[in-house]
Amino acid sequence: MPFNILVNIKKIKKLNVGEWVETIITTYPNSKEDAKGDITKYFGTPGNPETEEKVICEKYNLLQGFSKSALDESEECSPLDEKEDLPEEIEDCRELETFAIDPSDARDRDDAVSIETLPNGGRRLGVHIADVSFFVKEGSAIDQEAMQRANSVYFPQKVFPMLPKKITNQICSLDENRVRRTMSVFLDFTAAGNQKGFRVAQTYIKSFASLDYESVGEFLNGESISNSIQASKIKKVEDSLCQLSELTQKMRLKRLQNGSLDFDLPEARVSIDKKGYPTGIKRSDRNQAHMLIEECMLAANTAVAEFL
């Protein structure tokens, strides 16, 4: 604002001097006097991570908690019971070798992939997205609050989710060895990598492995995998990873030949200490694992758009 706002100094405690504050303007400025106002909130010292977070939340009106009705609805949601018979419209893909690849610090897993060999030597790519809509009904309290938020907001050490954590972090997260309800796109490709058809289905899957980009990138580069736990998981699905890598490289080449733009922009990764202060910034490299998942998601999005 191009003017000062004067506040009543007698109402400010000494320990609050220098803090970020919110004021309400009581008198607007004129040619002779500055504006006047009253302090309505104190946020803390500038530069303090907690203070900065409070200011951001206030500035963008970020909703941090959920209403009791939304939380009650989420508590009524429960994971799938494997003993129950599957509804007719649901395909049972629990035996299909699906797996998720995410950042090592991922808070939840909302997509997984699979690959099958077809009789003619082609491949069937499966992209499986957590079916949140099954649990969040249109017009429900959760749905209305999600509409107010529009998306989740991530801070370095916390997240304000769009949906209650029980849904995003538990019953809809495609965790290893857990049966989850998904929407799946199955895309068929010839041996040469040409797509020849697709279908969309409601499915149940059970992820075989939760992998991270760094370890899969090392594997695809032929390097030794630095994380021993990830190495043992990758060993279970290494044939599928190799087939996926081969297919997605062909898909990527055809996409670029068809004029697709490729925005290879560097992503900054900020290191944070225990108190929330930044200690360094490094470039987050995009490896073969990122490109593999990127191609799968682009193909699925294109198919769904065509389907719609």
Side-chain angles (χ1 to χ4, degrees):
M1 289 181 136
F3 53 83
N4 296 321
I5 302 172
L6 302 183
V7 294
N8 188 342
I9 198 167
K10 293 178 182 178
K11 293 183 179 180
I12 303 173
K13 295 177 182 177
K14 282 188 177 180
L15 60 89
N16 294 127
V17 171
E19 289 193 0
W20 280 110
V21 295
E22 177 187 84
T23 67
I24 184 167
I25 298 173
T26 54
T27 305
Y28 277 85
N30 56 43
S31 58
K32 296 180 181 179
E33 292 183 315
D34 286 321
K36 292 177 183 173
D38 293 327
I39 295 174
T40 54
K41 281 183 187 173
Y42 291 88
F43 296 108
T45 310
N48 182 298
E50 286 187 19
T51 302
E52 301 295 337
E53 190 177 291
K54 288 177 187 174
V55 171
I56 290 168
C57 291
E58 194 70 30
K59 181 177 180 179
Y60 295 104
N61 194 28
L62 300 181
L63 301 175
Q64 300 176 46
F66 287 90
S67 66
K68 185 178 182 302
S69 55
L71 291 173
D72 288 344
E73 283 181 4
S74 71
E75 286 303 316
E76 291 172 8
C77 300
S78 56
L80 301 169
D81 185 353
E82 287 195 63
K83 295 176 183 176
E84 290 183 4
D85 293 333
L86 290 181
E88 285 185 13
E89 72 275 11
I90 304 294
E91 285 187 33
D92 187 355
C93 295
R94 288 174 291 184
E95 298 302 317
L96 180 62
E97 189 177 272
T98 60
F99 49 90
I101 306 177
D102 292 285
S104 54
D105 58 355
R107 294 175 172 92
D108 53 59
R109 301 177 184 276
D110 52 18
D111 54 68
V113 292
S114 63
I115 191 163
E116 303 167 82
T117 301
L118 300 176
N120 60 2
R123 298 280 188 268
R124 175 167 292 156
L125 168 64
V127 179
H128 314 275
I129 310 295
D131 188 3
V132 180
S133 64
F134 177 76
F135 298 95
V136 181
K137 303 303 180 187
E138 187 174 356
S140 65
I142 297 175
D143 183 42
Q144 289 174 24
E145 291 208 27
M147 192 181 296
Q148 284 182 294
R149 287 166 171 77
N151 50 263
S152 297
V153 178
Y154 291 89
F155 286 87
Q157 294 177 306
K158 67 171 67 171
V159 59
F160 298 152
M162 183 175 70
L163 302 168
K165 286 184 179 179
K166 183 172 181 184
I167 293 176
T168 54
N169 291 28
Q170 296 178 40
I171 60 175
C172 286
S173 185
L174 306 184
D175 297 328
E176 206 171 282
N177 298 319
R178 302 284 185 188
V179 176
R180 294 291 185 256
R181 185 172 178 125
T182 48
M183 290 295 293
S184 299
V185 182
F186 295 100
L187 305 106
D188 289 353
F189 292 86
T190 65
N194 296 313
Q195 188 184 324
K196 62 174 187 176
F198 70 88
R199 65 187 181 86
V200 180
Q202 297 179 52
T203 55
Y204 279 178
I205 68 164
K206 183 189 275 190
S207 176
F208 279 46
S210 294
L211 309 177
D212 65 51
Y213 284 121
E214 294 83 355
S215 300
V216 174
E218 289 170 345
F219 169 74
L220 294 176
N221 284 338
E223 303 167 9
S224 60
I225 301 166
S226 50
N227 184 319
S228 58
I229 296 172
Q230 283 286 305
S232 62
K233 291 182 179 185
I234 287 172
K235 194 163 182 62
K236 289 188 209 171
V237 296
E238 62 178 306
D239 287 344
S240 292
L241 276 173
C242 291
Q243 290 180 42
L244 261 175
S245 178
E246 182 186 350
L247 174 62
T248 53
Q249 284 181 48
K250 292 176 182 176
M251 292 162 62
R252 178 179 170 78
L253 183 61
K254 290 182 182 299
R255 179 170 63 83
L256 294 175
Q257 286 174 344
N258 288 333
S260 176
L261 298 178
D262 187 33
F263 296 101
D264 189 5
L265 301 174
E267 184 179 336
R269 200 160 215 176
V270 183
S271 302
I272 305 287
D273 67 15
K274 290 180 181 178
K275 293 183 178 179
Y277 287 92
T279 58
I281 303 174
K282 64 179 181 179
R283 179 181 176 135
S284 178
D285 291 323
R286 183 166 166 249
N287 62 29
Q288 283 196 61
H290 291 94
M291 295 182 203
L292 182 153
I293 292 298
E294 186 178 84
E295 290 306 320
C296 292
M297 296 305 151
L298 284 170
N301 286 337
T302 304
V304 168
E306 199 175 313
F307 174 77
L308 293 173

